[in-house]
Amino acid sequence: CNRADLRSQRSALDRELNRRETEYELSRHVTEGRSKPTKPSAEDCRLRETILTADRDAIRGLIERTGFFRPDEIAIAIELIDERLVRGDASGYYFVIAELEASIVGYACYGPIGCTLGSFDLYWIAVDPAFQHGGLGRLVMGAVEASITKVNGRRLYVDTSG
């Protein structure tokens, strides 16, 4: 067994663990008057654009739970949060945070592309596995697009991990 095979097996095990954790979390979301568990709704979430120091660890956990990102990528996501916390608007990083009750269940990070007029990069978008395929990513993305439009943004560039 070579290292690539071991990494692949570990990745598969991590995805299965995430799936089982998500199933457990969904089983805890039982609404009144229903006997079957229901998936939490994007409509129940609140969006905000202010990043807080307390969000740092919550967003790290969210990104890790998705199972999509490598440790070095996660470290970069946290660096962008730190940069925004220290430099504010001068950092060039902006956020949309989706919350349900007191938990962060989705987020995006975006910013203007230097030396362009009206062009932006979407650096990050992540949704808690318990909320995936329920419209939360679309809701967060819509908020990003609305914010960019308010400052006369015309283009948003998206690159995927991997």
Side-chain angles (χ1 to χ4, degrees):
C1 212
N2 64 34
R3 284 187 173 184
D5 289 338
L6 290 174
R7 277 193 297 269
S8 176
Q9 289 173 354
R10 180 171 182 206
S11 180
L13 289 171
D14 287 343
R15 281 192 301 274
E16 178 64 15
L17 179 60
N18 271 339
R19 186 188 66 75
R20 288 182 184 185
E21 287 174 347
T22 299
E23 284 177 358
Y24 171 75
E25 285 299 315
L26 287 175
S27 71
R28 292 178 42 206
H29 289 276
V30 178
T31 60
E32 289 182 33
R34 295 186 184 174
S35 59
K36 288 176 68 177
T38 59
K39 191 171 191 172
S41 170
E43 296 167 359
D44 299 327
C45 294
R46 182 177 77 87
L47 297 178
R48 64 178 162 90
E49 294 184 342
T50 304
I51 191 87
L52 307 171
T53 303
D55 297 337
R56 197 175 181 279
D57 290 337
I59 290 173
R60 177 189 300 276
L62 165 67
I63 296 169
E64 289 172 348
R65 283 192 305 279
T66 68
F68 292 126
F69 303 102
R70 298 183 316 263
D72 59 310
E73 293 172 314
I74 295 168
I76 291 169
I78 301 308
E79 285 178 27
L80 301 185
I81 293 168
D82 291 342
E83 185 73 13
R84 174 65 191 200
L85 289 169
V86 170
R87 297 185 62 219
D89 284 351
S91 70
Y93 300 119
Y94 298 88
F95 292 85
V96 172
I97 309 293
E99 296 178 303
L100 179 66
E101 297 166 4
S103 297
I104 294 177
V105 294
Y107 101 107
C109 175
Y110 64 98
I113 300 172
C115 298
T116 68
L117 296 173
S119 295
F120 288 75
D121 272 326
L122 178 69
Y123 300 113
W124 286 90
I125 186 165
V127 173
D128 189 291
F131 284 80
Q132 291 174 3
H133 309 291
L136 182 58
R138 188 173 22 257
L139 183 69
V140 170
M141 192 66 201
V144 167
E145 291 169 351
S147 293
I148 290 171
T149 301
K150 283 181 193 172
V151 294
N152 298 318
R154 297 186 312 255
R155 289 191 170 88
L156 177 62
Y157 296 90
V158 179
D159 192 9
T160 60
S161 179

